[in-house]
Structure formats: structure tokens, C-alpha cells
Amino acid sequence: MAEENKYYVTVSGSGLPEVDGLYVPSTEPPKISESGTQSSKGYWNDKMAWDRADRKSARNPALSYSNSYKAWRLCRLDGHLAYTIENEDALPDTSQTWDVYKKGVSPAPTIKVHESDPRLAPSVVFVLGGPGAGKGTMCELAANQLGWTHLSAGDLLRAERKAGGANADLIESYITEGKIVPVEITVGLIKKAMEEALSSTGRNSFLVDGFPRSLENWSGWQGVFGTAMAVPTMLFFECPLQVLEERIMGRAQFSGRSDDNVEAVRKRFNTYKTETMPIVDVFRALGSVVDVDSSKGRVEVWKDVKAALKGGSGVEKPLTERSELAGDNIYVTWEGDTTEYLCFLSQGVDGELYMISADGSFTETYGFNQDEDQWRFA
């Protein structure tokens, strides 16, 4: 019985960019190949075979061996063969130059074979700062504009609390009191979210917002991910307490968060100073801190954040600036559309409060309707 195919292949630099990407062990069900050979999981024509990780190819396996031509072949998304290499080795020869086939475009790609899933070696940036410093806003912009995956420790905890379960009441009590939730809960949720994102999107660049908030958090992270993993960079958002309070109270009427009040903000700020600053000092001593003055305007802060994030999985999109932010990130959905849109509250020069989408696709007036006694779109 053949050994399990545990290899992964990355394709890059081809004249057809659609061919580039990650290829994973084929999961195609057994079938008879063009040469009459019975295939099996991860194999085609008795040699290892791979599907595209994004499953976009019309032909699977998308990278496989042909007994008829004694060659490895790579197809386009529509299934037509694009590149080939004459080689009978057990794996594609990464030192040999591939040839452009019938439906290919020069140049031929470079092939790299990995002994494990390259997505499991994530690039991680920790993001810290006081409550209301704008961490979530900038992380969501980085996700939208640069292709990073944003994981908010606070949002993960709130989602877990909302879902109920054994830890719901415990999480609620810690969040309401402005205390740090036990590390085993937080790190477990972050790890689960990273694994789900890796599996569903293939992206391995993560912004972990609001973590680590203490030396214990950092020890817990190392306990789960190991000390061999590179020390993440830390983006540290600096902002005076007075500005933080103004921002928190500005968003309190929209957020519905139990910790968006002056008393909780001051508790959180005190916790932040006593428990979080020591971990910032540890990372600073390691040369891993990038300071961001988040008291500045959104565009200026975004420029600093963008300069610090050299990874990411996407192509930068233009940032639409309408006016200074009055609140934090908010998600909205429209009737008949289940998509959640990231938006910002913005005070216009006319004094109206606007809801602006992060990608600039729409702007809606948002205000308090006295007849209905609620905030709503105009």
C-alpha cells in the first residue's frame, strides 16, 4: 500500500497568475485515469497528486502525473493543461525547468514541494493599546485593504459568551469588571479561529487584536504554540486616557457593549497600565514593538499601520476618507442581504452623523428618530 500523500506544493511566477497558489493532497474519489489506472486518495496514475487549495479548478487533480506522456502536468482553472515537465520521479523535480504546454502562457512557473502544510507556519502580529485606541478599526482596515486576517480576542470572547456554554458567565463577569479573562480560554479561542481561517481561506497572516494583555497571556501563548515559533511583532497603539474616554462614550450609544461606560473604561485602563504595560516592555526589550500614535487622525494612523504591516495576503485597495471618526467599527446588514458590512460613524461638516462603509461603497445618514425613540438610518 502506498504511503499517504502528506506533501504540499506551491506554484508561483507563472505567465498565468490564476495557476499560482497552494496545492494540497488530492481528495478526489477513486476513478480510472486516462491510461486505465485506478486512482486512490492523494494519488493519480500511481504517483502523488494535488488539488488546488481553493478548489477553483475544474479539473482535479490539478497537478498530477500522466502515464501516457511520462510527465507531470499542471492545468488552468478551466481544466485545460498549461504546463508540463517530463520526469518520472516520485515527486515533481523542483530543480528542472517546466515547459509551457498548449494552453499555457510563458513564463513557466516555479514549483516548490513542502513536507508539511505551509499555512501552519503563520505570520502573527499582536495589536495592543488602551480601550478605544482604535485597534479594532485599524485591524479591520488592514483586513479589508491588505488581506490580513483580523482576530479580536475581545470579539472572540464576546461571541463565546453570547453562544452560552460552560464559560459564558465567567467571561461575562471578567469583561464587565474590566479584568483579564483566564488565559486558557482566550488562547484556545484564538487557536481555534486561526485554524478555521487557515482551513477556509488559506491565509496565514494574522492580526491578533487585544492580546497578549499580560505576562500570563504570553506564557499561555507559548505553551500552546511553542517557543520555537518566531516572536510576533507587536503594534502598540498609544493614546491619552482623556481621548480614550471620549471615543468610548462616543460609541457607547451604538455598540451595546456592557463595558462601554466611564467606570468600566477606567477599570480597563488601570488594568491595561498595571498588567498589559509589563508585557509591552518585554516585547520592547526584544526589539519587537512598533509604536503607533493613535491620537492622530484616521488617515495618518492608517499610514503608520500600513507601513508596519509588510505581510498580508491581499492587494491594497484605496482608502476612502470622508471625515474624522466619531466611533469605532460597527457591522450592518441590509434587508434581503445577509452580508455584514464593516462601517464607521463619521461626523460630517454639515453636523450630520454618517455611517460609512470601510470600502467606501456606501454612505448613509444615521441619526436619532424622536418619534420612534431609537437610532436608525434616515
Side-chain angles (χ1 to χ4, degrees):
M1 182 177 180
E3 65 174 311
E4 181 182 355
N5 181 1
K6 296 182 179 180
Y7 292 91
Y8 292 74
V9 177
T10 48
V11 177
S12 61
S14 67
L16 284 172
E18 68 178 51
V19 173
D20 292 350
L22 176 65
Y23 290 71
V24 301
S26 180
T27 57
E28 282 295 293
K31 64 179 75 171
I32 303 298
S33 73
E34 78 286 346
S35 63
T37 304
Q38 175 71 49
S39 70
S40 58
K41 183 179 179 181
Y43 280 78
W44 184 261
N45 284 328
D46 294 329
K47 291 189 186 292
M48 294 182 187
W50 296 267
D51 303 332
R52 287 187 60 89
D54 59 14
R55 303 296 299 178
K56 290 183 178 179
S57 177
R59 178 192 185 116
N60 285 303
L63 170 56
S64 62
Y65 183 79
S66 169
N67 278 334
S68 302
Y69 293 91
K70 305 299 180 185
W72 292 93
R73 303 193 294 181
L74 182 62
C75 72
R76 308 189 314 184
L77 293 188
D78 61 9
H80 289 291
L81 297 174
Y83 303 100
T84 184
I85 182 175
E86 293 185 5
N87 183 286
E88 297 184 51
D89 292 344
L91 292 169
D93 187 347
T94 58
S95 64
Q96 188 175 342
T97 302
W98 283 60
D99 297 316
V100 177
Y101 200 58
K102 296 178 180 179
K103 295 292 184 177
V105 175
S106 183
T110 298
I111 306 295
K112 184 175 181 180
V113 178
H114 306 266
E115 293 186 357
S116 59
D117 191 339
R119 297 172 296 184
L120 300 181
S123 172
V124 176
V125 172
F126 291 147
V127 184
L128 286 179
K135 304 183 300 297
T137 298
M138 290 299 128
C139 285
E140 287 289 0
L141 280 175
N144 180 271
Q145 307 290 329
L146 302 178
W148 285 76
T149 296
H150 172 210
L151 300 178
S152 164
D155 286 350
L156 291 172
L157 288 166
R158 282 186 284 272
E160 184 73 4
R161 174 188 61 184
K162 184 177 180 180
N167 294 318
D169 291 339
L170 180 65
I171 292 173
E172 169 65 22
S173 65
Y174 274 86
I175 289 178
T176 302
E177 290 297 318
K179 297 179 181 179
I180 296 176
V181 175
V183 63
E184 60 273 11
I185 296 176
T186 307
V187 176
L189 292 174
I190 293 173
K191 184 175 185 293
K192 179 182 177 182
M194 290 176 66
E195 291 172 345
E196 290 176 350
L198 283 167
S199 175
S200 62
T201 69
R203 293 181 178 179
N204 68 343
S205 297
F206 295 94
L207 293 172
V208 182
D209 166 16
F211 187 92
R213 294 182 60 196
S214 67
L215 293 171
E216 183 187 10
N217 274 183
W218 174 230
S219 295
W221 173 275
Q222 291 179 305
V224 171
F225 291 94
T227 56
M229 181 179 177
V231 175
T233 298
M234 177 180 288
L235 284 184
F236 179 52
F237 284 68
E238 297 184 283
C239 194
L241 175 59
Q242 181 180 352
V243 176
L244 297 178
E245 287 187 0
E246 291 173 357
R247 289 180 177 177
I248 292 292
M249 297 316 297
R251 79 181 184 193
Q253 54 190 321
F254 313 108
S255 68
R257 288 173 50 170
S258 59
D259 56 346
D260 272 357
N261 58 75
V262 172
E263 182 181 0
V265 169
R266 290 177 179 172
K267 286 181 180 178
R268 290 163 62 196
F269 190 77
N270 288 332
T271 300
Y272 155 73
K273 287 194 300 182
T274 58
E275 299 194 42
T276 302
M277 286 306 298
I279 191 61
V280 175
D281 293 338
V282 168
F283 274 73
R284 195 179 298 282
L286 295 172
S288 298
V289 173
V290 176
D291 293 302
V292 177
D293 180 2
S294 62
S295 66
K296 298 188 296 185
R298 176 166 68 106
V299 173
E300 293 178 86
V301 175
W302 171 240
K303 288 180 180 178
D304 292 341
V305 170
K306 183 172 62 174
L309 298 178
K310 305 187 186 303
S313 308
V315 177
E316 184 183 350
K317 304 175 185 177
L319 176 65
T320 300
E321 169 64 8
R322 303 292 175 84
S323 57
E324 188 57 32
L325 287 180
D328 215 331
N329 49 309
I330 297 172
Y331 294 90
V332 300
T333 56
W334 304 110
E335 186 175 353
D337 183 357
T338 59
T339 304
E340 285 190 335
Y341 296 91
L342 170 68
C343 299
F344 306 103
L345 288 176
S346 183
Q347 189 77 37
V349 294
D350 56 3
E352 292 283 355
L353 192 61
Y354 290 91
M355 182 79 78
I356 301 173
S357 63
D359 60 5
S361 61
F362 65 81
T363 302
E364 298 289 337
T365 306
Y366 193 69
F368 188 79
N369 186 302
Q370 292 186 346
D371 293 334
E372 298 181 9
D373 193 30
Q374 65 177 342
W375 288 87
R376 58 165 295 164
F377 291 108

